[in-house]
């Protein structure tokens, strides 16, 4: 089954250098290019984007080519960096470290410093 190419909100916002909120507002105001909405996913068919851009173009001849839609790099949102997993202690270990160093943070800092000195 072949599907026609379509842009996501993020891809179209990047192409036009507008915010996603602007595209959302335009949809609520019934402005902008036609779109497809399946559940919460919004897609803008490429042919509708081209038609819309042709219709609103100003200050250039109609023969001037528009930027290619197919050569656009897909938007890949990088995942947020994961926070390091905190060290886990048995309750008896935690109480002993807190009693000796005042807090687990102070204990971890002291133990890290001691390990670094031993290695270096």
């Amino acid at each position: 089954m072949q599907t026609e190419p379509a842009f996501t909100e993020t891809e179209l916002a990047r192409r036009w250098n507008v915010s996603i909120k602007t595209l959302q507002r335009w949809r609520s105001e019934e402005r902008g290019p036609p779109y497809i909405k399946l559940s919460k996913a919004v897609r803008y068919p490429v042919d509708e984007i081209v038609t819309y851009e042709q219709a609103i173009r100003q200050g250039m001849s109609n023969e001037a080519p528009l930027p290619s839609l197919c050569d656009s790099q897909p938007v890949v949102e990088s995942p947020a960096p994961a926070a390091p997993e905190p060290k886990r202690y048995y309750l008896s270990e935690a109480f002993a470290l807190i009693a000796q160093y005042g807090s687990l943070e102070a204990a971890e800092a002291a133990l890290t410093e001691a390990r670094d000195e031993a290695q270096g």
Side-chain angles (χ1 to χ4, degrees), residues 24-92:
Q24 292 169 349
R25 187 182 77 244
W26 287 356
R27 287 196 306 272
S28 72
E29 296 171 354
E30 297 181 2
R31 295 173 47 193
Y35 60 93
I36 299 167
K37 188 167 186 180
L38 299 169
S39 184
K40 293 182 180 182
V42 175
R43 298 291 183 266
Y44 292 90
V46 169
D47 60 336
E48 297 290 355
I49 295 170
V50 170
T51 302
Y52 183 78
E53 287 176 342
Q54 290 286 355
I56 64 168
R57 82 183 332 181
Q58 299 175 11
M60 61 173 52
S61 72
N62 284 339
E63 288 79 38
L66 290 170
S68 172
L69 290 170
C70 298
D71 296 339
S72 297
Q73 296 296 321
V75 176
V76 178
E77 297 179 15
S78 58
E85 183 73 25
K87 181 156 175 28
R88 297 180 182 259
Y89 297 97
Y90 288 106
L91 197 53
S92 59

Side-chain angles (χ1 to χ4, degrees), residues 114-120:
R115 185 175 4 114
D116 291 345
E117 287 177 6
Q119 289 178 351

